[in-house]
Amino acid sequence: MDIDRDEARAMLRTMHTIRRFELKAQHLFEEGLARGEFLGALHSYEGQEAVAVGVCAHLRPEDAVLSSHRGHGHAIAKGADIRAMMAELLGKVTGISGGHGGSMHMFDPAVGLLGGNGIVGGGTPLALGPAFAAQYRGNDRVTACFFGEGAAAQGVFHESMNLASLWQLPVIYVCENNLWAATTPVNDAWPVEDLAPRAESFGMPGMTVDGNDVLAVYATAAEAVDRARSGGGPTLIEAKTYRHRPHCMVIPEHRDESELEEWQGRDPIPRFESYLVREGLMTDVEIADLLTEVEAELEEAAQFARQSELPAPDTFADHLWA
Amino acid sequence: MRNVTYVRALNEAIAEEMERDDDVFLIGEDIADCGGVFGVTAGMLRRFGRRRVWQTPISEAAFTGLAVGAAMAGLRPVCEIMYVDFATTCMDQILNQAAKLRYMSGGQLTVPLVIRTQQGGGTCEAAQHSQNFEAIFAHVPGLKVAMPATPHDAKGLLKAAIRDDNPVIFLEHKLLYETKGEIPREEYVIPLGEADIKREGDQLTLVATSRMVLHALEAADRVAGEVSVEVIDPRTIVPFDLDTVAASVEKTGRLLIVQEAWQSGGFGSEIIRRIVDRCFDSLKAPPRVHGSEDVPMPFSPSLEARVLPNPDSIASAIREIVA
């Protein structure tokens, strides 16, 4: 699929922003540990950047995204502010959820980010809601729902596909199959290789894509988003990918080093960069400059987070009721 | 005033709110063509059409999740779960999602959702169709919980629930649907969080909820020559009108809670905790909870009748407290 030069650059920039955000987040977490502070769970999206970026490139601010526990990448790709996200990781009052949510609960409705979720598969039925609202109000907004292959074993995911297809809702279910649900390999969870055939059993299209190839994700998502936007109903996409880090900061690496090395050889960022240089869309120098800019932005975001205040303790009851 | 059934009162509340606000829609099992298995949504499909009335597969987790998500997106869903017992299949959507989304998002999201369901025993439907779960919902911060006992309260509270910007669990009772009562001819709304003194008295405060309000009033009649009982229906347990109950206890010095939920771990115990905190020195006798026996609901009519509180058992409890 042909891609516009500006769009390609923007996508690379977002992929780098996600990668650098995760590295910085990990650094902040370790700084906290050194001070004796434990800042909850942190699930790195490193390695999966092509999925969020390839899908969200087709979304408008008013389109909705429902994310998962591993959601920083989705939030950044949907346009959330990295300073507010970084501050949220430290529980600061300037955080994207005011310090009430943390890593797994980042919300920014202004850019269509309707939140991460601490319950595996928890977003899959919620995603039906904004899709239903678009149909109810007769507009062409779509909803994308990201979840891991672990969530694909949940009953509610299947109920949600059934309802999405039954009512032809404009929703795109994006399964990021990174092969491991915490410490359980997908082969211990699925009796089959691919997810897409399950979609067919609900009467909706299912597509399998190389989740480490941003252009392939971009092309597949284009089809799914167009279908949803034009009233053609839901799509299930399974993106085969891999996370470069352990499940979260507190679970030691349990996977074979050789598997990790093999997947690092398919790292979506260098792959995309090679393509851009080969096609003459960017030069090595431009890529290096872009990286310097991204790095400066992330450093500024980390400083903002460190320097922001914690919420006043007595504000704990704020935001419980509307 | 007009004399209408509880089910008619609920039906009017829904129709009026749907007429008033196009964002209100209905979703649930068997609610369209048949109008709900208890008839609460009868006529809605004809009046408002398929766009506003969504009959679902038996898929509570998906359609409740849809309702939560639609509320996040600005609609005002009225979601029917046929029996409260079935809400166990969508507790993630209710307890983890609906109750917490506004808080977790730092106040950015609003979830104007009503989940209507019905609970209670007395119909020989046995252990999985007779439960009372209000304490579970009330225990989790972020949910309002209404449990009206009369047609008047049912209509006024449901209208308030639909207009509320928070998730509201609206607990009807299967044996109240055909009960009748007076309601005003003109439109009215009853704010959530205001108790109603159903009968005045000065020797014992009896707080009862849902169908137990009717039994409590009957028991109060039976003991009228011996004890002057004040019967208070909180109408919503979240928010809970502690002021009204505490003022009554300060007057009577005695407190009995009657709930159809199990005796142990229910909201009645919570009311006692709050009263003990607020006005311990006013108490002349230990406060008591009278609920159902702590067993799954048995099927047999003789067993079911023994397990549930009734006017006789309530009257006995009243006499024991004042003895």
Side-chain angles (χ1 to χ4, degrees), chain A residues 216-239:
Chain A
V217 176
Y218 183 80
T220 303
E223 195 181 314
V225 171
D226 283 351
R227 178 162 34 243
R229 224 184 269 298
S230 60
T235 304
L236 171 66
I237 297 171
E238 181 196 355

PDB file of all heavy atoms in Angstrom, chain A residues 216-239:
ATOM      1  N   ALA A 216       2.094  -3.235   6.662  1.00  0.00           N
ATOM      2  CA  ALA A 216       1.089  -4.298   6.535  1.00  0.00           C
ATOM      3  C   ALA A 216      -0.086  -4.021   7.468  1.00  0.00           C
ATOM      4  O   ALA A 216      -1.256  -4.174   7.087  1.00  0.00           O
ATOM      5  CB  ALA A 216       1.727  -5.651   6.866  1.00  0.00           C
ATOM      6  N   VAL A 217       0.224  -3.593   8.704  1.00  0.00           N
ATOM      7  CA  VAL A 217      -0.855  -3.256   9.638  1.00  0.00           C
ATOM      8  C   VAL A 217      -1.658  -2.083   9.084  1.00  0.00           C
ATOM      9  O   VAL A 217      -2.896  -2.084   9.107  1.00  0.00           O
ATOM     10  CB  VAL A 217      -0.285  -2.896  11.030  1.00  0.00           C
ATOM     11  CG1 VAL A 217      -1.405  -2.442  11.966  1.00  0.00           C
ATOM     12  CG2 VAL A 217       0.464  -4.085  11.639  1.00  0.00           C
ATOM     13  N   TYR A 218      -0.939  -1.101   8.549  1.00  0.00           N
ATOM     14  CA  TYR A 218      -1.580   0.100   7.994  1.00  0.00           C
ATOM     15  C   TYR A 218      -2.564  -0.282   6.881  1.00  0.00           C
ATOM     16  O   TYR A 218      -3.697   0.201   6.841  1.00  0.00           O
ATOM     17  CB  TYR A 218      -0.485   1.026   7.461  1.00  0.00           C
ATOM     18  CG  TYR A 218      -0.944   2.341   6.908  1.00  0.00           C
ATOM     19  CD1 TYR A 218      -1.260   3.405   7.748  1.00  0.00           C
ATOM     20  CD2 TYR A 218      -1.027   2.540   5.521  1.00  0.00           C
ATOM     21  CE1 TYR A 218      -1.661   4.626   7.234  1.00  0.00           C
ATOM     22  CE2 TYR A 218      -1.421   3.768   5.003  1.00  0.00           C
ATOM     23  CZ  TYR A 218      -1.741   4.809   5.858  1.00  0.00           C
ATOM     24  OH  TYR A 218      -2.144   6.015   5.347  1.00  0.00           O
ATOM     25  N   ALA A 219      -2.144  -1.179   6.023  1.00  0.00           N
ATOM     26  CA  ALA A 219      -2.996  -1.590   4.893  1.00  0.00           C
ATOM     27  C   ALA A 219      -4.204  -2.396   5.384  1.00  0.00           C
ATOM     28  O   ALA A 219      -5.335  -2.186   4.934  1.00  0.00           O
ATOM     29  CB  ALA A 219      -2.172  -2.421   3.904  1.00  0.00           C
ATOM     30  N   THR A 220      -3.964  -3.283   6.314  1.00  0.00           N
ATOM     31  CA  THR A 220      -5.062  -4.106   6.839  1.00  0.00           C
ATOM     32  C   THR A 220      -6.070  -3.241   7.596  1.00  0.00           C
ATOM     33  O   THR A 220      -7.292  -3.378   7.430  1.00  0.00           O
ATOM     34  CB  THR A 220      -4.490  -5.191   7.784  1.00  0.00           C
ATOM     35  OG1 THR A 220      -3.542  -5.956   7.047  1.00  0.00           O
ATOM     36  CG2 THR A 220      -5.576  -6.093   8.323  1.00  0.00           C
ATOM     37  N   ALA A 221      -5.544  -2.336   8.405  1.00  0.00           N
ATOM     38  CA  ALA A 221      -6.422  -1.463   9.180  1.00  0.00           C
ATOM     39  C   ALA A 221      -7.216  -0.533   8.266  1.00  0.00           C
ATOM     40  O   ALA A 221      -8.367  -0.202   8.567  1.00  0.00           O
ATOM     41  CB  ALA A 221      -5.608  -0.658  10.197  1.00  0.00           C
ATOM     42  N   ALA A 222      -6.604  -0.125   7.159  1.00  0.00           N
ATOM     43  CA  ALA A 222      -7.311   0.761   6.226  1.00  0.00           C
ATOM     44  C   ALA A 222      -8.606   0.105   5.769  1.00  0.00           C
ATOM     45  O   ALA A 222      -9.680   0.728   5.747  1.00  0.00           O
ATOM     46  CB  ALA A 222      -6.421   1.075   5.024  1.00  0.00           C
ATOM     47  N   GLU A 223      -8.487  -1.156   5.437  1.00  0.00           N
ATOM     48  CA  GLU A 223      -9.660  -1.899   4.968  1.00  0.00           C
ATOM     49  C   GLU A 223     -10.717  -2.002   6.082  1.00  0.00           C
ATOM     50  O   GLU A 223     -11.913  -1.777   5.860  1.00  0.00           O
ATOM     51  CB  GLU A 223      -9.192  -3.304   4.546  1.00  0.00           C
ATOM     52  CG  GLU A 223     -10.182  -4.067   3.721  1.00  0.00           C
ATOM     53  CD  GLU A 223      -9.635  -5.456   3.368  1.00  0.00           C
ATOM     54  OE1 GLU A 223      -8.465  -5.564   2.954  1.00  0.00           O
ATOM     55  OE2 GLU A 223     -10.399  -6.425   3.538  1.00  0.00           O
ATOM     56  N   ALA A 224     -10.259  -2.337   7.290  1.00  0.00           N
ATOM     57  CA  ALA A 224     -11.189  -2.519   8.409  1.00  0.00           C
ATOM     58  C   ALA A 224     -11.864  -1.203   8.793  1.00  0.00           C
ATOM     59  O   ALA A 224     -13.077  -1.157   9.040  1.00  0.00           O
ATOM     60  CB  ALA A 224     -10.448  -3.110   9.605  1.00  0.00           C
ATOM     61  N   VAL A 225     -11.069  -0.137   8.835  1.00  0.00           N
ATOM     62  CA  VAL A 225     -11.633   1.161   9.231  1.00  0.00           C
ATOM     63  C   VAL A 225     -12.601   1.660   8.157  1.00  0.00           C
ATOM     64  O   VAL A 225     -13.688   2.173   8.465  1.00  0.00           O
ATOM     65  CB  VAL A 225     -10.502   2.183   9.511  1.00  0.00           C
ATOM     66  CG1 VAL A 225     -11.074   3.596   9.697  1.00  0.00           C
ATOM     67  CG2 VAL A 225      -9.695   1.771  10.740  1.00  0.00           C
ATOM     68  N   ASP A 226     -12.244   1.487   6.891  1.00  0.00           N
ATOM     69  CA  ASP A 226     -13.156   1.900   5.812  1.00  0.00           C
ATOM     70  C   ASP A 226     -14.469   1.141   5.909  1.00  0.00           C
ATOM     71  O   ASP A 226     -15.554   1.712   5.722  1.00  0.00           O
ATOM     72  CB  ASP A 226     -12.525   1.610   4.441  1.00  0.00           C
ATOM     73  CG  ASP A 226     -11.455   2.639   4.090  1.00  0.00           C
ATOM     74  OD1 ASP A 226     -11.347   3.646   4.825  1.00  0.00           O
ATOM     75  OD2 ASP A 226     -10.725   2.422   3.104  1.00  0.00           O
ATOM     76  N   ARG A 227     -14.355  -0.144   6.169  1.00  0.00           N
ATOM     77  CA  ARG A 227     -15.577  -0.962   6.273  1.00  0.00           C
ATOM     78  C   ARG A 227     -16.453  -0.440   7.411  1.00  0.00           C
ATOM     79  O   ARG A 227     -17.649  -0.247   7.251  1.00  0.00           O
ATOM     80  CB  ARG A 227     -15.207  -2.432   6.515  1.00  0.00           C
ATOM     81  CG  ARG A 227     -16.410  -3.329   6.683  1.00  0.00           C
ATOM     82  CD  ARG A 227     -16.128  -4.824   6.500  1.00  0.00           C
ATOM     83  NE  ARG A 227     -14.833  -5.255   6.954  1.00  0.00           N
ATOM     84  CZ  ARG A 227     -13.890  -5.767   6.146  1.00  0.00           C
ATOM     85  NH1 ARG A 227     -14.118  -5.924   4.869  1.00  0.00           N
ATOM     86  NH2 ARG A 227     -12.718  -6.129   6.631  1.00  0.00           N
ATOM     87  N   ALA A 228     -15.852  -0.206   8.555  1.00  0.00           N
ATOM     88  CA  ALA A 228     -16.630   0.258   9.711  1.00  0.00           C
ATOM     89  C   ALA A 228     -17.241   1.636   9.424  1.00  0.00           C
ATOM     90  O   ALA A 228     -18.420   1.882   9.691  1.00  0.00           O
ATOM     91  CB  ALA A 228     -15.738   0.319  10.947  1.00  0.00           C
ATOM     92  N   ARG A 229     -16.449   2.515   8.843  1.00  0.00           N
ATOM     93  CA  ARG A 229     -16.908   3.890   8.617  1.00  0.00           C
ATOM     94  C   ARG A 229     -18.027   3.965   7.587  1.00  0.00           C
ATOM     95  O   ARG A 229     -18.895   4.831   7.650  1.00  0.00           O
ATOM     96  CB  ARG A 229     -15.726   4.753   8.161  1.00  0.00           C
ATOM     97  CG  ARG A 229     -15.693   6.097   8.847  1.00  0.00           C
ATOM     98  CD  ARG A 229     -14.594   6.986   8.342  1.00  0.00           C
ATOM     99  NE  ARG A 229     -13.311   6.905   9.040  1.00  0.00           N
ATOM    100  CZ  ARG A 229     -13.122   7.204  10.321  1.00  0.00           C
ATOM    101  NH1 ARG A 229     -14.122   7.588  11.077  1.00  0.00           N
ATOM    102  NH2 ARG A 229     -11.930   7.112  10.865  1.00  0.00           N
ATOM    103  N   SER A 230     -18.016   3.022   6.668  1.00  0.00           N
ATOM    104  CA  SER A 230     -19.028   3.076   5.607  1.00  0.00           C
ATOM    105  C   SER A 230     -20.222   2.180   5.927  1.00  0.00           C
ATOM    106  O   SER A 230     -21.021   1.877   5.057  1.00  0.00           O
ATOM    107  CB  SER A 230     -18.383   2.667   4.277  1.00  0.00           C
ATOM    108  OG  SER A 230     -17.876   1.348   4.400  1.00  0.00           O
ATOM    109  N   GLY A 231     -20.330   1.740   7.197  1.00  0.00           N
ATOM    110  CA  GLY A 231     -21.519   0.970   7.573  1.00  0.00           C
ATOM    111  C   GLY A 231     -21.408  -0.512   7.302  1.00  0.00           C
ATOM    112  O   GLY A 231     -22.407  -1.235   7.351  1.00  0.00           O
ATOM    113  N   GLY A 232     -20.189  -0.981   7.019  1.00  0.00           N
ATOM    114  CA  GLY A 232     -20.005  -2.396   6.684  1.00  0.00           C
ATOM    115  C   GLY A 232     -19.777  -3.308   7.879  1.00  0.00           C
ATOM    116  O   GLY A 232     -19.548  -4.505   7.708  1.00  0.00           O
ATOM    117  N   GLY A 233     -19.794  -2.741   9.089  1.00  0.00           N
ATOM    118  CA  GLY A 233     -19.708  -3.572  10.287  1.00  0.00           C
ATOM    119  C   GLY A 233     -18.300  -3.825  10.776  1.00  0.00           C
ATOM    120  O   GLY A 233     -17.334  -3.220  10.317  1.00  0.00           O
ATOM    121  N   PRO A 234     -18.187  -4.754  11.716  1.00  0.00           N
ATOM    122  CA  PRO A 234     -16.936  -4.963  12.443  1.00  0.00           C
ATOM    123  C   PRO A 234     -15.928  -5.828  11.695  1.00  0.00           C
ATOM    124  O   PRO A 234     -16.282  -6.522  10.736  1.00  0.00           O
ATOM    125  CB  PRO A 234     -17.397  -5.693  13.709  1.00  0.00           C
ATOM    126  CG  PRO A 234     -18.577  -6.485  13.254  1.00  0.00           C
ATOM    127  CD  PRO A 234     -19.260  -5.647  12.198  1.00  0.00           C
ATOM    128  N   THR A 235     -14.691  -5.766  12.164  1.00  0.00           N
ATOM    129  CA  THR A 235     -13.610  -6.616  11.664  1.00  0.00           C
ATOM    130  C   THR A 235     -12.769  -7.066  12.849  1.00  0.00           C
ATOM    131  O   THR A 235     -12.598  -6.305  13.799  1.00  0.00           O
ATOM    132  CB  THR A 235     -12.693  -5.830  10.694  1.00  0.00           C
ATOM    133  OG1 THR A 235     -13.487  -5.296   9.628  1.00  0.00           O
ATOM    134  CG2 THR A 235     -11.594  -6.725  10.110  1.00  0.00           C
ATOM    135  N   LEU A 236     -12.254  -8.272  12.753  1.00  0.00           N
ATOM    136  CA  LEU A 236     -11.254  -8.741  13.715  1.00  0.00           C
ATOM    137  C   LEU A 236      -9.908  -8.815  13.008  1.00  0.00           C
ATOM    138  O   LEU A 236      -9.803  -9.409  11.925  1.00  0.00           O
ATOM    139  CB  LEU A 236     -11.634 -10.124  14.255  1.00  0.00           C
ATOM    140  CG  LEU A 236     -10.563 -10.821  15.109  1.00  0.00           C
ATOM    141  CD1 LEU A 236     -10.312 -10.086  16.419  1.00  0.00           C
ATOM    142  CD2 LEU A 236     -10.973 -12.272  15.397  1.00  0.00           C
ATOM    143  N   ILE A 237      -8.896  -8.186  13.604  1.00  0.00           N
ATOM    144  CA  ILE A 237      -7.538  -8.267  13.074  1.00  0.00           C
ATOM    145  C   ILE A 237      -6.665  -8.967  14.116  1.00  0.00           C
ATOM    146  O   ILE A 237      -6.678  -8.572  15.288  1.00  0.00           O
ATOM    147  CB  ILE A 237      -6.959  -6.861  12.795  1.00  0.00           C
ATOM    148  CG1 ILE A 237      -7.776  -6.139  11.720  1.00  0.00           C
ATOM    149  CG2 ILE A 237      -5.485  -6.954  12.388  1.00  0.00           C
ATOM    150  CD1 ILE A 237      -7.394  -4.669  11.535  1.00  0.00           C
ATOM    151  N   GLU A 238      -5.954  -9.978  13.704  1.00  0.00           N
ATOM    152  CA  GLU A 238      -4.936 -10.549  14.585  1.00  0.00           C
ATOM    153  C   GLU A 238      -3.573 -10.112  14.074  1.00  0.00           C
ATOM    154  O   GLU A 238      -3.183 -10.441  12.947  1.00  0.00           O
ATOM    155  CB  GLU A 238      -4.987 -12.080  14.613  1.00  0.00           C
ATOM    156  CG  GLU A 238      -3.919 -12.640  15.558  1.00  0.00           C
ATOM    157  CD  GLU A 238      -3.620 -14.132  15.365  1.00  0.00           C
ATOM    158  OE1 GLU A 238      -4.305 -14.787  14.557  1.00  0.00           O
ATOM    159  OE2 GLU A 238      -2.677 -14.626  16.016  1.00  0.00           O
ATOM    160  N   ALA A 239      -2.865  -9.366  14.902  1.00  0.00           N
ATOM    161  CA  ALA A 239      -1.522  -8.914  14.536  1.00  0.00           C
ATOM    162  C   ALA A 239      -0.517  -9.768  15.306  1.00  0.00           C
ATOM    163  O   ALA A 239      -0.494  -9.753  16.536  1.00  0.00           O
ATOM    164  CB  ALA A 239      -1.356  -7.435  14.889  1.00  0.00           C
TER     165      ALA A 239
END
